[in-house]
Amino acid sequence: MSTHTTAIAISCTLKPSPSESSSDLLASQILAALSEHGVDGQLVRAVDHTLSPGVEADMGGDDEWPELRRKVLDADILVFVTPTWMGQHSSVAQRVLERLDAELSETDDEGRPILFDKVAIAGIVGNEDGAHHIAAILFQGLNDVGYTIAAQGSVYWNGEAMQGVDYKDLSETPEEVASATATAARNAAHLASALKEQGFPAE
């Protein structure tokens, strides 16, 4: 099976660089876990880029989505990480999902949706409940545009409700989060490698 597998992690934090971000931290941890399985990855903070509203691949003007889109299309695995605000995924995460919607009309040389044979992992952090709800939204949207979701392909951390401790402020990664990260990365790397070897049929 092919061993050269790549990943891109899109952090949908609301905080522009260089502010510290719990979403960035979790995304980095997932990429590190993927690297243990031979996956080369990079991290992008979406809020640092001008992503115009719309559902086209290129909205023109100062839209920077086309550059990020190319990185998404080149990667075998998408690590999609969002903070939790008011029990929902961030507005930045919604913007990225909306821009990915354009891929529904894009096909490869065999007539298949262009994101077939690619794998997605969801990561969610926050000081309130909502992780399962957000994972369900992300999985539905990402699967709809063509991504395959690996078994147990989500990683989340919920802090104590209405408290001020963020994931990035923890002295160490909770064992449950580390275990979930390892499982998601292992399964995603395996699935991505399998799909590179034999992708979904055109008909």
Side-chain angles (χ1 to χ4, degrees):
M1 301 179 79
S2 175
T3 57
H4 184 248
T5 308
T6 61
I8 182 170
I10 300 181
S11 167
C12 296
T13 176
L14 299 182
K15 301 173 182 176
S17 298
S19 298
E20 292 186 348
S21 163
S22 292
S23 296
D24 273 34
L25 175 57
L26 181 59
S28 296
Q29 291 173 337
I30 295 173
L31 287 177
L34 284 167
S35 72
E36 296 179 7
H37 301 279
V39 180
D40 296 324
Q42 62 175 311
L43 172 62
V44 174
R45 192 181 296 206
V47 75
D48 289 342
H49 301 269
T50 300
L51 306 182
S52 301
V55 290
E56 302 295 333
D58 188 346
M59 298 303 298
D62 60 355
D63 184 22
E64 295 179 6
W65 173 254
E67 179 183 354
L68 181 53
R69 175 180 180 264
R70 174 45 51 195
K71 294 179 180 180
V72 169
L73 295 181
D74 287 344
D76 302 302
I77 300 172
L78 171 63
V79 180
F80 195 112
V81 182
T82 179
T84 305
W85 292 109
M86 302 175 73
Q88 309 295 322
H89 55 294
S90 73
S91 58
V92 175
Q94 184 62 29
R95 176 64 52 84
V96 174
L97 287 175
E98 289 166 351
R99 297 309 302 269
L100 285 170
D101 185 76
E103 307 314 321
L104 283 169
S105 60
E106 299 293 328
T107 56
D108 63 15
D109 293 340
E110 298 180 71
R112 308 177 311 153
I114 200 168
L115 292 175
F116 270 28
D117 304 339
K118 297 182 183 295
V119 178
I121 296 175
I124 304 102
V125 291
N127 292 327
E128 53 188 293
D129 198 6
H132 286 104
H133 164 72
I134 294 171
I137 290 173
L138 298 184
F139 282 163
Q140 187 280 324
L142 294 170
N143 183 256
D144 198 44
V145 298
Y147 281 99
T148 300
I149 311 302
Q152 296 186 345
S154 68
V155 181
Y156 70 88
W157 177 83
N158 285 138
E160 186 177 356
M162 296 183 287
Q163 300 300 313
V165 177
D166 291 333
Y167 184 66
K168 62 181 175 58
D169 298 325
L170 300 179
S171 58
E172 60 182 5
T173 302
E175 181 179 348
E176 294 82 358
V177 177
S179 176
T181 298
T183 299
R186 180 173 61 250
N187 291 348
H190 172 79
L191 180 58
S193 182
L195 287 172
K196 283 173 71 72
E197 182 74 14
Q198 183 174 2
F200 290 110
E203 295 182 358

